[in-house]
Amino acid sequence: MGLGCAMSSLQVKYYNPFTRLAVVRCDREAYEQVWLTMSMMREVQHRRVTPKLLQVAGTSESCRAKAAALVARAMCACAATLPPHQRAHAASHQQRLVAQEL
């Protein structure tokens, strides 16, 4: 399968700017190609990135649960350092992940 076919099924389902966690969806047949391509990324919109694969999930529910746990842990670690208005914004991102279906 070529990258063009993989890209047609690629979707960013969730992104949290505070934790920098992204949930990316692609076809099952394309995940290795997408994984390889993302591991070679070094910059997105003029920002340095180091993508890490945290989980390959068979269902969107298992992916959402893993992402929600990671976001909750990260938010506990950084919540005390955020100003109140950013803390509320970060909490809304976390609630959106818990409520949405990926």
Side-chain angles (χ1 to χ4, degrees):
M1 172 177 278
L3 184 57
C5 292
M7 294 300 290
S8 68
S9 70
L10 188 65
Q11 296 176 327
V12 176
K13 299 298 279 182
Y14 173 79
Y15 176 72
N16 186 317
F18 295 98
T19 62
R20 298 185 190 162
L21 176 74
V23 175
V24 178
R25 184 181 189 282
C26 67
D27 286 342
R28 185 173 304 200
E29 298 82 24
Y31 92 90
E32 288 179 328
Q33 185 76 34
V34 171
W35 179 11
L36 174 66
T37 303
M38 289 182 71
S39 69
M40 292 188 284
M41 291 172 51
R42 296 294 170 248
E43 187 176 296
V44 174
Q45 294 184 346
H46 307 293
R47 292 185 179 181
R48 291 189 48 77
V49 296
T50 307
K52 296 176 190 168
L53 177 67
L54 300 176
Q55 179 173 353
V56 174
T59 67
S60 59
E61 179 56 32
S62 64
C63 186
R64 188 204 56 77
K66 175 72 172 187
L70 289 168
V71 168
R73 189 169 61 220
M75 293 309 297
C76 286
C78 75
T81 64
L82 292 174
H85 70 281
Q86 284 188 338
R87 199 173 312 147
H89 188 65
S92 72
H93 273 278
Q94 186 175 1
Q95 291 168 353
R96 191 181 71 178
L97 174 63
V98 170
Q100 89 180 87
E101 186 174 317
L102 302 176

